[in-house]
Amino acid sequence: MSEEFLPFSRPCISQAAIDEVVSCLQSGWITTGPRVAQFTEALQHYFKAPHVLPVMSATTGLHLSLLAMNLEPGDEVITTPLTFAATLNAIVLAGAKPVLVDIDQNTLNMDLNLVASAITKRTRVILPVHFAGLSVDLTQLYDIANQFGLRVLEDAAHAIGSEYQGERIGSSGDVQVFSFHPNKNMTTVEGGCIVTRDQSLAEQIARLRFHGIDRQAWNRYGKNGSQDFEVVLPGYKSNMTDVQAALGIHQLRELAGFIARRNELANRYQEALSDWPQWTLPKLPQYAHLHSWHIYTPLINEKAAGMNRDQFMQVMKERNIGTGLHYRAVHLYPYYRQAFGFNPGDFPLAEDACERIVSLPLFPSMTDGEHDRVLDVMYSIFN
Ligand SMILES: *Cc1c(COP(=O)(O)O)cnc(C)c1O
């Protein structure tokens, strides 16, 4: 095995971005400052949204967004079992109860047709995930939310650059949270941002993000233009640094190219694997959308493959190719089973997908040669 290990994901960092990070480090201002302000403005422009709040991670972004919605104990948030644990953890940490509905077998997104029957008097928020970067049906989602008077928090960790009917995720709706973790569509090492059109929610998130500090509260009672501040609630420490923003400014400029390459590679898998009996490939919805292909996740057909997903991942690893698992069903983790009484069989479609799903290598700097190598190895495993 002379060939180098091929990871399932790898960040793509340009020289311009590296130079900007170095300039920042040499500038004398490395935490939240001018580069975060510049990145914030670039994101506002990108999303055409009035309020964008960069934060240390999408996890904290989800948590702060839910806290700012003032949920009370017993309040319910409806989400999907096919997501990273952070989605449910944020709900619990915000003091609410996660209520799950099963997924759509084709798109792997939350089945919006099941949401209405999961709504109770305690439901406050619908929290869908744009899985793999495929937008949920936003028209249907907001119809339900408006009908029942619910807030919407879109976990858009996979979905910067994705579009629904010609509009970017983040350019309309209630609240979106994006991730800039190294495996995501663009990175700031760790990081994320919250996007909203709700000014008072944005102001509350801004306080929660930084010690509960409110400069305007001081200004109301104090001298004009003072640097002083008031602490109006016990806040967190979730602000992004200028070093991260230095990277983010360039990643955002390069994002369209990243998404285009992700689409080429995903389409290459879709075509190459289309008649393999070993796989059930991702299916796309009828509505117009731009997929960002954060991950490419076929489901293994165990009988035809002669092996299960875990065995496939092991064999690939032995052949020097990395794969990812996104995700194991969150409701079956010990904490969620114990705290909320979830059991195997509760969400059969999600559980089936979670048993069979695998993320094949896909990242913007992946070459056609590397892509061929993945397909060749897969071919040799099954034939
Ligand atoms: C990555 C991810 C998160 C958390 O993002 P971080 O920036 O790592 O905190 C949340 N939800 C989903 C669906 C994710 O994939």
Short mmCIF file of all heavy atoms in Angstrom, two decimals, residues 12 17 22 25 44 46 90 107 119 134 153 175 180 190 201 233 238 245 254 263 265 275 283 296-297 299 350 359 369:
data_model
loop_
_atom_site.label_atom_id
_atom_site.label_comp_id
_atom_site.label_asym_id
_atom_site.label_seq_id
_atom_site.Cartn_x
_atom_site.Cartn_y
_atom_site.Cartn_z
N CYS A 12 -9.49 23.35 2.71
CA CYS A 12 -8.80 23.90 1.54
C CYS A 12 -8.44 25.35 1.87
O CYS A 12 -9.30 26.22 1.87
CB CYS A 12 -9.78 23.80 0.37
SG CYS A 12 -9.10 24.33 -1.17
N ALA A 17 -5.33 33.35 2.28
CA ALA A 17 -5.91 33.21 3.62
C ALA A 17 -4.80 33.08 4.66
O ALA A 17 -4.87 33.70 5.74
CB ALA A 17 -6.84 31.99 3.67
N VAL A 22 -1.50 35.53 9.06
CA VAL A 22 -0.19 35.99 9.54
C VAL A 22 -0.23 37.50 9.79
O VAL A 22 0.23 37.99 10.83
CB VAL A 22 0.92 35.61 8.54
CG1 VAL A 22 2.25 36.25 8.94
CG2 VAL A 22 1.07 34.09 8.47
N LEU A 25 -1.96 38.14 13.01
CA LEU A 25 -1.12 37.80 14.17
C LEU A 25 -0.07 38.87 14.41
O LEU A 25 0.31 39.13 15.55
CB LEU A 25 -0.45 36.44 13.95
CG LEU A 25 -1.38 35.23 14.03
CD1 LEU A 25 -0.67 33.97 13.56
CD2 LEU A 25 -1.90 35.05 15.46
N GLN A 44 -23.07 39.57 6.00
CA GLN A 44 -24.35 40.28 5.83
C GLN A 44 -24.63 40.49 4.34
O GLN A 44 -25.75 40.30 3.87
CB GLN A 44 -24.30 41.64 6.53
CG GLN A 44 -24.46 41.56 8.03
CD GLN A 44 -24.13 42.88 8.73
OE1 GLN A 44 -23.31 43.65 8.24
NE2 GLN A 44 -24.76 43.12 9.86
N TYR A 46 -23.35 38.66 1.89
CA TYR A 46 -23.52 37.34 1.28
C TYR A 46 -24.96 36.84 1.46
O TYR A 46 -25.57 36.33 0.53
CB TYR A 46 -22.53 36.35 1.90
CG TYR A 46 -22.57 34.96 1.31
CD1 TYR A 46 -21.94 34.67 0.10
CD2 TYR A 46 -23.28 33.93 1.94
CE1 TYR A 46 -22.00 33.41 -0.46
CE2 TYR A 46 -23.34 32.67 1.38
CZ TYR A 46 -22.70 32.41 0.19
OH TYR A 46 -22.77 31.16 -0.37
N ALA A 90 -27.97 21.13 22.24
CA ALA A 90 -28.29 22.56 22.36
C ALA A 90 -29.71 22.74 22.89
O ALA A 90 -29.97 23.64 23.71
CB ALA A 90 -28.12 23.27 21.02
N THR A 107 -34.71 12.00 0.78
CA THR A 107 -33.81 13.15 0.94
C THR A 107 -32.98 13.06 2.22
O THR A 107 -31.99 13.78 2.37
CB THR A 107 -34.62 14.46 1.01
OG1 THR A 107 -35.46 14.40 2.17
CG2 THR A 107 -35.47 14.64 -0.23
N ILE A 119 -46.84 18.39 16.93
CA ILE A 119 -47.00 19.67 17.63
C ILE A 119 -47.97 19.52 18.80
O ILE A 119 -49.03 18.92 18.66
CB ILE A 119 -47.47 20.76 16.63
CG1 ILE A 119 -46.33 21.07 15.64
CG2 ILE A 119 -47.90 22.03 17.38
CD1 ILE A 119 -46.74 21.97 14.49
N LEU A 134 -28.55 19.80 1.58
CA LEU A 134 -29.78 19.81 0.78
C LEU A 134 -30.87 20.54 1.56
O LEU A 134 -31.30 20.08 2.63
CB LEU A 134 -30.23 18.37 0.48
CG LEU A 134 -31.58 18.25 -0.22
CD1 LEU A 134 -31.56 18.90 -1.60
CD2 LEU A 134 -32.01 16.79 -0.33
N LEU A 153 -35.73 27.51 13.83
CA LEU A 153 -34.27 27.61 13.90
C LEU A 153 -33.72 26.57 12.93
O LEU A 153 -33.90 25.37 13.14
CB LEU A 153 -33.79 27.34 15.33
CG LEU A 153 -32.28 27.27 15.55
CD1 LEU A 153 -31.58 28.54 15.11
CD2 LEU A 153 -31.97 26.97 17.03
N VAL A 175 -34.36 32.10 11.79
CA VAL A 175 -32.96 32.08 12.26
C VAL A 175 -32.23 30.89 11.62
O VAL A 175 -32.80 29.79 11.55
CB VAL A 175 -32.89 31.92 13.80
CG1 VAL A 175 -31.45 32.10 14.28
CG2 VAL A 175 -33.81 32.90 14.50
N PHE A 180 -18.48 26.65 10.71
CA PHE A 180 -17.20 26.80 10.00
C PHE A 180 -16.16 25.85 10.57
O PHE A 180 -14.97 26.16 10.62
CB PHE A 180 -16.72 28.26 10.08
CG PHE A 180 -17.74 29.28 9.61
CD1 PHE A 180 -17.90 30.49 10.30
CD2 PHE A 180 -18.52 29.05 8.49
CE1 PHE A 180 -18.82 31.44 9.88
CE2 PHE A 180 -19.45 30.00 8.06
CZ PHE A 180 -19.60 31.19 8.75
N GLU A 190 -12.34 26.58 14.11
CA GLU A 190 -13.64 26.38 14.74
C GLU A 190 -14.40 27.68 14.49
O GLU A 190 -13.80 28.74 14.36
CB GLU A 190 -13.51 26.14 16.24
CG GLU A 190 -12.76 24.87 16.63
CD GLU A 190 -13.52 23.58 16.37
OE1 GLU A 190 -14.72 23.64 16.03
OE2 GLU A 190 -12.90 22.51 16.51
N LEU A 201 -34.09 39.72 18.75
CA LEU A 201 -33.43 38.43 18.99
C LEU A 201 -31.91 38.58 18.79
O LEU A 201 -31.12 38.09 19.61
CB LEU A 201 -33.97 37.37 18.03
CG LEU A 201 -33.53 35.94 18.36
CD1 LEU A 201 -34.43 35.30 19.40
CD2 LEU A 201 -33.45 35.07 17.11
N LEU A 233 -27.30 40.53 32.02
CA LEU A 233 -27.64 39.14 32.30
C LEU A 233 -26.33 38.36 32.35
O LEU A 233 -25.30 38.86 31.91
CB LEU A 233 -28.59 38.58 31.24
CG LEU A 233 -28.24 38.79 29.76
CD1 LEU A 233 -27.26 37.75 29.25
CD2 LEU A 233 -29.50 38.75 28.92
N SER A 238 -18.60 33.50 23.76
CA SER A 238 -18.70 32.77 22.50
C SER A 238 -18.30 33.60 21.30
O SER A 238 -18.63 33.26 20.16
CB SER A 238 -20.15 32.27 22.31
OG SER A 238 -20.52 31.43 23.38
N ALA A 245 -11.52 35.13 11.89
CA ALA A 245 -12.19 35.94 10.86
C ALA A 245 -11.27 36.18 9.67
O ALA A 245 -11.73 36.24 8.52
CB ALA A 245 -12.67 37.26 11.45
N GLU A 254 -13.90 32.39 -1.51
CA GLU A 254 -13.58 31.19 -2.30
C GLU A 254 -14.72 30.17 -2.30
O GLU A 254 -14.64 29.14 -2.98
CB GLU A 254 -12.29 30.56 -1.75
CG GLU A 254 -11.07 31.48 -1.94
CD GLU A 254 -9.92 31.20 -0.96
OE1 GLU A 254 -9.93 30.15 -0.31
OE2 GLU A 254 -9.03 32.08 -0.86
N ASN A 263 -20.01 19.96 -6.15
CA ASN A 263 -21.06 19.48 -7.05
C ASN A 263 -20.50 18.56 -8.13
O ASN A 263 -21.10 17.53 -8.45
CB ASN A 263 -21.83 20.64 -7.66
CG ASN A 263 -23.03 21.06 -6.82
OD1 ASN A 263 -24.12 20.54 -6.97
ND2 ASN A 263 -22.80 21.97 -5.89
N LEU A 265 -17.84 16.67 -7.98
CA LEU A 265 -17.43 15.39 -7.39
C LEU A 265 -18.65 14.55 -7.01
O LEU A 265 -18.67 13.34 -7.24
CB LEU A 265 -16.54 15.64 -6.17
CG LEU A 265 -15.16 16.25 -6.49
CD1 LEU A 265 -14.51 16.78 -5.21
CD2 LEU A 265 -14.25 15.22 -7.17
N ASP A 275 -25.55 2.34 -11.25
CA ASP A 275 -26.08 0.98 -11.46
C ASP A 275 -25.40 -0.06 -10.58
O ASP A 275 -25.43 -1.24 -10.88
CB ASP A 275 -26.00 0.61 -12.96
CG ASP A 275 -24.60 0.76 -13.50
OD1 ASP A 275 -23.68 1.09 -12.72
OD2 ASP A 275 -24.41 0.53 -14.71
N LYS A 283 -31.18 10.78 -3.17
CA LYS A 283 -32.20 11.21 -4.15
C LYS A 283 -32.54 12.66 -3.89
O LYS A 283 -32.53 13.13 -2.76
CB LYS A 283 -33.45 10.34 -4.01
CG LYS A 283 -33.22 8.91 -4.46
CD LYS A 283 -34.53 8.14 -4.52
CE LYS A 283 -34.28 6.64 -4.66
NZ LYS A 283 -33.67 6.03 -3.44
N TYR A 296 -21.20 13.42 0.87
CA TYR A 296 -21.87 12.55 -0.10
C TYR A 296 -22.14 11.23 0.61
O TYR A 296 -21.20 10.51 0.97
CB TYR A 296 -21.00 12.34 -1.34
CG TYR A 296 -21.72 11.47 -2.34
CD1 TYR A 296 -22.75 11.99 -3.12
CD2 TYR A 296 -21.42 10.11 -2.46
CE1 TYR A 296 -23.45 11.18 -4.00
CE2 TYR A 296 -22.11 9.30 -3.35
CZ TYR A 296 -23.13 9.85 -4.10
OH TYR A 296 -23.84 9.05 -4.98
N THR A 297 -23.43 10.93 0.83
CA THR A 297 -23.79 9.86 1.75
C THR A 297 -24.71 8.80 1.13
O THR A 297 -25.92 8.83 1.36
CB THR A 297 -24.51 10.44 2.98
OG1 THR A 297 -25.65 11.19 2.52
CG2 THR A 297 -23.60 11.34 3.79
N LEU A 299 -26.31 4.94 0.95
CA LEU A 299 -26.63 3.89 1.93
C LEU A 299 -26.20 2.55 1.35
O LEU A 299 -26.51 2.24 0.20
CB LEU A 299 -28.13 3.86 2.22
CG LEU A 299 -28.84 5.17 2.58
CD1 LEU A 299 -30.32 4.90 2.88
CD2 LEU A 299 -28.18 5.86 3.77
N ALA A 350 -35.05 6.63 10.01
CA ALA A 350 -33.77 7.22 10.42
C ALA A 350 -32.82 6.14 10.91
O ALA A 350 -31.63 6.14 10.59
CB ALA A 350 -34.00 8.27 11.50
N SER A 359 -20.13 8.30 4.54
CA SER A 359 -19.71 9.49 3.79
C SER A 359 -18.44 9.14 3.02
O SER A 359 -17.41 8.81 3.63
CB SER A 359 -19.42 10.65 4.74
OG SER A 359 -20.58 10.97 5.49
N GLY A 369 -8.20 12.22 -10.14
CA GLY A 369 -7.40 11.01 -9.92
C GLY A 369 -7.72 10.38 -8.57
O GLY A 369 -7.86 9.16 -8.45
#
